[in-house]
Amino acid sequence: MKSFFSLTCLLFLLVGLFGCSESTDRIEKKLTPFLQEDLKFMVAQTIHAVGDSSTLMDEPYYRVKDFRLFEGAAARVYAAYAEVDFFIYKNAAMHEKRKYRYDVQFRRWDRYSKEFKHGKDTIP
């Protein structure tokens, strides 16, 4: 009876561990809408601050510069990392670099760093 109880506990533990994990495809797919919302917010915030859209590109965009999926112990808290450059300004040689991480517990992307950088996009 004792071994049956131990086996049952182990089974529930394994189901809980594997049932809580999320596929890497799903994690990647969640990033795009999150980045699109950030881009929309940046554009709206700039229009609100300046009063019009004359300083903005006709089609602001972003580029994912670095994307990594973590494995093993490193993936217990954060399963992925992304570094993204946002280009929204028409005549300014600057962009905003944002860093994101995927929180395993809450199953969502989390922005943890924003900074302005000098320079335009290196890819035409």
Side-chain angles (χ1 to χ4, degrees):
M1 186 70 165
K2 186 177 179 182
S3 66
F4 176 74
F5 178 73
S6 298
L7 187 59
T8 304
C9 288
L10 180 62
L11 181 62
F12 278 115
L13 179 65
L14 290 173
V15 167
L17 286 174
F18 290 111
C20 292
S21 65
E22 196 165 4
S23 74
T24 57
D25 288 343
R26 187 177 171 119
I27 290 171
E28 287 184 61
K29 286 179 184 176
K30 284 183 175 182
L31 181 60
T32 300
F34 195 78
L35 296 177
Q36 289 172 345
E37 285 300 313
D38 263 9
L39 182 61
K40 287 179 192 176
F41 180 78
M42 291 169 65
V43 168
Q45 187 178 34
T46 302
I47 290 172
H48 180 71
V50 175
D52 64 23
S53 62
S54 62
T55 61
L56 298 175
M57 299 174 128
D58 292 333
E59 294 185 35
Y61 63 97
Y62 61 85
R63 290 203 193 278
V64 178
K65 295 294 185 169
D66 189 6
F67 181 84
R68 294 179 223 161
L69 294 167
F70 302 131
E71 294 180 11
R76 287 185 190 151
V77 178
Y78 298 109
Y81 164 87
E83 184 177 301
V84 183
D85 290 345
F86 289 86
F87 301 93
I88 66 169
Y89 301 107
K90 188 186 311 185
N91 296 320
M94 66 187 302
H95 63 277
E96 189 168 340
K97 180 174 290 297
R98 293 184 174 202
K99 295 179 183 179
Y100 303 86
R101 57 193 172 197
Y102 189 81
D103 190 310
V104 173
Q105 180 182 356
F106 295 107
R107 294 183 176 210
R108 66 177 171 84
W109 282 96
D110 170 41
R111 179 186 344 94
Y112 71 94
S113 174
K114 304 188 292 186
E115 61 183 304
F116 283 100
K117 294 285 191 174
H118 181 72
K120 291 192 173 227
D121 194 0
T122 56
I123 301 171

